[in-house]
Every structure is written in structure tokens, then in C-alpha cells.
Amino acid sequence: GFDIYSLDPSENIVDEQKKYGIKAEIGFIESQPYKDSYFDAIILSEVIEHIPLGNLNKAIEEIFRVLKKGGIVFVTVPFNEILEENFVICPNCGDKFHRWGHHSSFDKNKLTNLFSSKFKVQNIKVLAFTEWKLNIYSLIKNIIKFFLGKLGKSITSPRIYLLAKKI
């Protein structure tokens, strides 16, 4: 009963998504091709950390612009990532860059401040991604990972989950 849209800079990703009936377009979050107040909800899962620092505020403005009044935005980002730990150097040109293209690291305050300029933050929490499998070893391992994630330990790849509403 609802349509799914995707905006991605990768032509390959867009082509793949279209195979599943997703209304995908090539583009960037900072310059969206959608009308004002177009969406009821927006999901930004592992997106915000990829936006260059100088473009973050423009991205938030665009999210605000295309979201309907009362609409929600759901965001996930890595929690307290130490960016330097994932820097690599190109052996050919010597350029130094983050292996996954991350530009920012977030804690709860930084993410709340970023979104509270335009939205009312409804909920924000830190949780760990886990894979629940049906064997005792995996169950014990993932219970430990889950609780370490609650403590914000990086061994569990914790993520911040933010839910905000356009008022």
C-alpha cells in the first residue's frame, strides 16, 4: 500500500533497485529531484556519515523540504567511529581516504544537534547490529555483542538510531 523511492549516486545500484519495483533515481541527498512536501517518511540508513562536512546542512534542508508536515525521518549512523582507524592510502597516487567514504563520526549529541535544527527528535538510542542464529554458540556470542553494544563498545559495531518528526 505504499511506494518505495531511492536516491543513489550509483547507476548500478539504481538499476538493481528498479528490478524490484523501487522508484530509483540517480542523485544526491543534497539536491533532490522531488517536489516539496512529497514524502510521508524518509529512511537514511548508513547515509549521513558519507556526506562531506560542507554539505551536511544542505542535506538536512533538502530532507526537510521533501518531507510532509508531520512526516518522520529515521536515521542510522555508526556510533563514535574513529575515522582515522579506517583510513587507507592509495598505493598509486598516495591519496589518503576513508575506506568506506565516511566523512563524519557521530555521537548522540552531534546527531541530535544536526537534526534538531529542523526536526523534533522523537527518539535516539545506541544499539548493536547482531545476527541471531539458531545455535548455542551464535546465541551466546550475539547476546554478549548486544550488551557490549548497549555500552557503546566498538567491538559490536554499534549504531545510533534516530527518529525525528517534521513539525
Side-chain angles (χ1 to χ4, degrees):
F2 54 88
D3 293 321
I4 299 173
Y5 289 76
S6 173
L7 186 65
D8 198 285
S10 168
E11 184 176 352
N12 292 340
I13 297 293
V14 167
D15 289 344
E16 187 67 25
Q17 291 174 338
K18 285 181 177 180
K19 291 178 187 175
Y20 296 98
I22 296 171
K23 297 177 181 182
E25 294 189 47
I26 298 170
F28 293 89
I29 194 172
E30 304 95 312
S31 172
Q32 298 184 38
Y34 308 110
K35 297 183 294 185
D36 294 357
S37 302
Y38 192 70
F39 295 107
D40 296 306
I42 295 175
I43 299 171
L44 301 168
S45 182
E46 309 301 300
V47 171
I48 297 296
E49 67 274 15
H50 294 274
I51 300 171
L53 292 173
N55 296 352
L56 271 174
N57 287 331
K58 179 63 177 159
I60 299 302
E61 289 173 17
E62 278 290 281
I63 295 162
F64 184 83
R65 181 185 68 77
V66 300
L67 192 62
K68 292 178 182 175
K69 185 174 182 175
I72 59 166
V73 58
F74 179 74
V75 181
T76 70
V77 295
F79 173 66
N80 275 342
E81 179 184 10
I82 301 169
L83 295 172
E84 295 78 19
E85 288 182 357
N86 289 301
F87 277 16
V88 294
I89 299 172
C90 175
N92 295 322
C93 67
D95 278 353
K96 185 177 178 183
F97 56 94
H98 191 278
R99 70 175 66 210
W100 298 297
H102 294 181
H103 293 275
S104 298
S105 177
F106 293 94
D107 59 22
K108 287 169 63 173
N109 287 334
K110 185 175 178 181
L111 193 62
T112 297
N113 289 338
L114 181 64
F115 278 87
S116 65
S117 66
K118 293 279 186 184
F119 299 90
K120 178 165 177 41
V121 174
Q122 305 284 301
N123 195 355
I124 186 164
K125 59 185 165 184
V126 176
L127 294 172
F129 286 163
T130 57
E131 285 184 46
W132 297 99
K133 295 183 181 176
L134 297 177
N135 65 56
I136 192 68
Y137 172 76
S138 292
L139 181 62
I140 292 169
K141 181 175 92 173
N142 286 312
I143 288 171
I144 292 168
K145 284 177 129 184
F146 175 80
F147 285 110
L148 287 173
K150 287 286 210 181
L151 297 172
K153 302 298 180 189
S154 62
I155 192 169
T156 61
S157 301
R159 300 292 192 258
I160 303 173
Y161 295 79
L162 176 136
L163 179 66
K165 186 174 188 176
K166 180 177 177 179
I167 308 261

